Amino acid sequence: MTATIALVDDDRNILTSVSIALQTEGFLTRVYSDGESALKALVDNPPDLAVLDIKMPKMDGLELLRRLREKSAIPVIFLTSKDDELDEALGLAMGADDYIAKPFSQRLLIARIRAILRRTETAQPSTEEGAQEPAEILERGRLTMDPARHRVTWGGTNVTLTVTEFLILETLAQRPGIVKTRNQLMDAAYQDDIYVDDRTIDSHIKRVRRKFRQVDPDFDAIETLYGAGYRFSDE
């Protein structure tokens, strides 16, 4: 099935060039020139992935993502200015799956899009004959993860995670008590030799903790071992 990519940027040249490049690679595209016009469309008719610029008039990318995450967990890639490290950190903390600094290579953007879409597909149940059985439900203490339905609960209450957050938590929960380094978590969440730095993983972990603490203020199942990595405790 052909994936649909939404592009939100106030730079018409970027919208046109990236849209053409994605269509050449076989994607369907929708383009929006500001956050306000994009928000309703992304919620009412969700694409498979959205690429959002941060610096936009009317509603910037950070505000668009904040509002979008209230209603949707679609994968999001941020486009940021080269030196805007604060924006990158904020975007990841708010639930973006990845970011790319401008000016960017279209080949890199397409590779990141394909990688995230492949991760998204692993969370979808397959009905094709001969296909692999969906992954088993994972239960660790109060945590339940259903990969086939991309569903997470804590003590029976739903917790909405992005694809990247889900994969990081699943990697930790599969072996409680075992420390996972940042590199191991990067390998689980970012495949195909795509490099991300330590701050990206740390930001995703902070976001996951924040979401669980909205359900349970005493949530402390993800432990930080400074200088080593993270581990999940189901005690």
Side-chain angles (χ1 to χ4, degrees):
M1 185 174 180
T2 303
T4 298
I5 311 300
L7 306 173
V8 188
D9 199 309
D10 62 329
D11 188 325
R12 291 284 184 179
N13 291 329
I14 289 179
L15 286 180
T16 300
S17 61
V18 174
S19 181
I20 291 173
L22 288 172
Q23 291 171 16
T24 300
E25 293 293 321
F27 294 104
L28 300 176
T29 60
R30 302 181 201 149
V31 298
Y32 307 93
S33 58
D34 64 81
E36 284 187 351
S37 63
L39 179 60
K40 188 175 188 302
L42 294 179
V43 172
D44 291 348
N45 188 17
D48 295 288
L49 182 145
V51 179
L52 312 181
D53 185 29
I54 287 186
K55 305 294 186 182
M56 294 187 292
K58 297 184 180 179
M59 181 188 298
D60 65 18
L62 293 172
E63 178 64 14
L64 173 57
L65 178 63
R66 185 188 69 79
R67 296 193 187 186
L68 183 62
R69 281 292 176 254
E70 293 174 352
K71 300 179 179 180
S72 174
I74 63 170
V76 167
I77 295 176
F78 259 137
L79 299 180
T80 73
S81 298
K82 186 174 182 180
D83 297 323
D84 286 344
E85 294 185 0
L86 178 59
D87 286 345
E88 294 167 5
L90 281 173
L92 291 170
M94 293 169 64
D97 291 272
D98 204 348
Y99 67 87
I100 296 178
K102 293 181 178 181
F104 59 90
S105 159
Q106 291 185 356
R107 290 179 60 188
L108 174 62
L109 175 60
I110 291 169
R112 296 285 183 93
I113 288 172
R114 290 192 184 282
I116 291 176
L117 290 177
R118 277 193 288 271
R119 287 183 274 146
T120 305
E121 289 173 0
T122 65
Q124 303 300 321
S126 176
T127 57
E128 296 181 5
E129 185 176 352
Q132 291 184 346
E133 292 294 325
E136 294 183 359
I137 292 175
L138 179 66
E139 295 183 346
R140 296 289 186 267
R142 302 180 65 190
L143 174 71
T144 301
M145 302 187 73
D146 184 348
R149 294 173 177 81
H150 191 77
R151 186 168 183 267
V152 181
T153 63
W154 180 259
T157 302
N158 287 332
V159 181
T160 301
L161 300 182
T162 67
V163 174
T164 305
E165 293 164 356
F166 188 99
L167 290 172
I168 290 173
L169 178 60
E170 183 182 33
T171 301
L172 291 170
Q174 282 173 341
R175 300 189 67 189
I178 302 300
V179 178
K180 293 291 184 178
T181 67
R182 289 174 175 81
N183 285 337
Q184 289 173 320
L185 295 176
M186 289 178 197
D187 290 342
Y190 293 87
Q191 302 168 5
D192 303 314
D193 298 323
I194 290 177
Y195 173 78
V196 295
D197 61 25
D198 289 355
R199 185 186 63 227
T200 303
I201 296 299
D202 293 342
S203 294
H204 286 310
I205 291 288
K206 289 178 182 177
R207 177 72 177 177
V208 171
R209 284 173 171 156
R210 186 177 300 116
K211 288 182 175 182
F212 275 89
R213 285 170 182 162
Q214 290 173 349
V215 171
D216 176 7
D218 296 323
F219 175 83
D220 61 356
I222 300 177
E223 301 176 353
T224 301
L225 283 84
Y226 294 98
Y230 298 95
R231 70 182 174 197
F232 183 85
S233 172
D234 60 356
E235 296 180 355

